[in-house]
Each structure stands twice: as C-alpha cells, then as structure tokens.
Amino acid sequence: DPEPLKRRIVALGGSSTGGAYQMDDLDQFWPKRLEETLSARGHQGWEVVNQGVGGWNSLHVRLYIESQIQRLDADIFVVYIGHNDILTTSPAPYRDLYARYQRGGGAAAAVSAKLSELRLYSGLRFMLLGLRDRGGAVAVPVEDAADNLSALFDLAEANKARVMLLTEGLNPDPQPMRPYAEMQRELATSRGGLYLNTAEQLWQTGEPDLFLDDCHLSQEGHVRLSGWIAETLEGAGWL
C-alpha cells in the first residue's frame, strides 16, 4: 500500500531557522526538532519543511511565498522572524527598494522542483544588497513588516493554510523586539492565526546557554523552541 500523504508545516525565517554558516547542521535546528517532537507526541502524520534562509527578513519571506506557495503546499506556516527586519539597516529606504523590485517585474529566479532544495532559493536577494552593517534606515520598519506578514496571511488563507507567528529571540534582553512582538500578536489575533512570544519565553528561562550569541540559538535553544511550538499547535487544535 502507498504511504499516506503527510500534512506539512513550512518553517520560515532567517539564519535562526535556515542556518548562517556552511557547516550548520540543520538537523539541530528547530524545524527538524519540531518534526521529531510532533512524532514523539503522537503526530506522525506531519512533516516540517525548512525554508529558512540566512539574512532573510519579512519582505524576502513575503516575495518567496508569493511565488512558491502552491509548490510548497503547506497546511501551516510557522514564521520565526523579527531580528533582520528591525535590528539591521538598509542603504536605502525600504519603500524605495520595494518600488525598485516592482519595476523589475518580480522574482525571476528558478527553483528546483524538490522541496528539500527550495531552501536554497536566493533569487530575492537582489533587492536588499548589503543590508547588514552599512548604516542607513531600519531594514524593514514595524509597519512595513506588518504589511508583509498580512500579505502572508492573505496568501495562506487563499490556499487553505494557517499561519503561526513567533518573535525571534534576542540575548540578553528582548526589549528591542517588543514593538515588533506587539505587532505580530495583534496581527495574528485579528487574522485567526497563532502567536507565540518566544523572545520573552527564551528570556524568562534565565538560561543564557540557550543562545550562541545575540540571536542564534544553541542546540538546547532549538529544542526548547520546538517544544513550545508543538504545545501551542496542540493546544489550538491545529494538529
């Protein structure tokens, strides 16, 4: 008999989701840990596909999903994001960069048909060159991030998928993430999604070894994050 089709969670975010370095072991990151956790909790019918890419912010995520949502065939999007939006800078105002992208006619890069290879898709990087450490404005202001994430909800709803938003952790204190977290909470609440303030949860543990640096999680940090996500999905009846 053919193996039954699994339901799919698509994980989205930057380097805390998809890795930043050539030798990162993505089996240690929260999407793979989430799949393992779900299986251990009796939810073997779910797979988690990691589509995080180092350096991506909410605009990259939005444009990627606009072009790939049908191919990804997600039941749930889980989005762990925030740091690259409001704690990195852009050499030009965000809206100017977005207008430049729109004049260019959209994302033209092709991707492999294999879902396991989709995370390598980098065709959207053309529009945010040199964002990090170049001075200038915030890469994606909170109000623009809200537009990007709202567009994700629109796309998900049109494709019968759900969205869970997570606030990216910051070490040692998540205070700079709080306006972003409030935006995510309000958006998820108003759009029928789920929200989890993982930045606050990581901080409240009082365990600095959950981070490798200011934002990237340790192996234990990824394990904790995956457990919180699984518990929240279960509690909402989404599994």
Side-chain angles (χ1 to χ4, degrees):
D1 293 335
E3 184 177 340
L5 293 176
K6 290 191 174 184
R7 301 185 72 190
R8 178 173 296 137
I9 294 171
V10 172
L12 298 165
S15 56
S16 296
T17 299
Y21 306 105
Q22 186 176 5
M23 299 304 293
D24 277 338
D25 181 359
L26 294 184
D27 285 346
Q28 305 295 333
F29 279 52
W30 68 264
K32 183 63 175 179
R33 294 302 194 193
L34 176 59
E35 184 175 85
E36 295 168 350
T37 300
L38 292 178
S39 180
R41 296 171 77 100
H43 305 290
Q44 291 89 355
W46 287 87
E47 64 179 349
V48 181
V49 180
N50 189 344
Q51 297 295 281
V53 178
W56 273 19
N57 58 40
S58 64
L59 179 59
H60 295 104
V61 168
R62 173 185 180 173
L63 298 177
Y64 177 57
I65 297 304
E66 284 179 348
S67 67
Q68 299 301 319
I69 190 165
Q70 292 184 340
R71 187 190 296 268
L72 289 170
D73 192 25
D75 295 285
I76 300 172
F77 291 103
V78 178
V79 190
Y80 182 63
I81 204 162
H83 181 278
N84 290 340
D85 279 9
I86 63 171
L87 296 179
T88 61
T89 57
S90 171
Y94 165 87
R95 291 190 181 278
D96 290 351
L97 289 168
Y98 190 38
R100 190 182 310 166
Y101 158 77
Q102 291 176 310
R103 289 196 300 271
V111 298
S112 166
K114 295 181 181 179
L115 284 172
S116 62
E117 295 174 7
L118 281 176
R119 65 172 301 276
L120 300 177
Y121 178 78
S122 59
L124 304 177
R125 296 185 183 210
F126 62 90
M127 63 163 296
L128 291 175
L129 298 175
L131 284 186
R132 305 178 72 90
D133 304 322
R134 295 286 185 89
V138 169
V140 185
V142 172
E143 59 271 22
D144 292 314
D147 289 342
N148 294 330
L149 296 176
S150 182
L152 175 57
F153 274 96
D154 291 341
L155 291 162
E157 183 178 336
N159 286 271
K160 297 180 171 58
R162 290 166 154 167
V163 179
M164 179 180 187
L165 300 180
L166 314 174
T167 304
E168 198 164 0
L170 192 64
N171 183 45
D173 183 355
Q175 191 278 330
M177 297 301 301
R178 285 171 184 159
Y180 197 94
E182 182 61 18
M183 174 273 290
Q184 289 179 302
R185 185 192 65 78
E186 291 178 357
L187 179 60
T189 300
S190 67
R191 297 299 301 269
L194 288 179
Y195 172 65
L196 192 59
N197 194 337
T198 43
E200 291 289 336
Q201 287 186 249
L202 288 162
W203 177 60
Q204 289 174 5
T205 66
E207 301 176 36
D209 60 352
L210 298 184
F211 288 89
L212 298 175
D213 52 24
D214 68 319
C215 63
H216 298 102
L217 297 173
S218 66
Q219 289 187 28
E220 180 59 23
H222 284 289
V223 169
R224 295 290 186 92
L225 179 59
S226 67
W228 295 331
I229 297 169
E231 291 169 3
T232 304
L233 291 170
E234 278 186 331
W238 283 21
L239 298 175

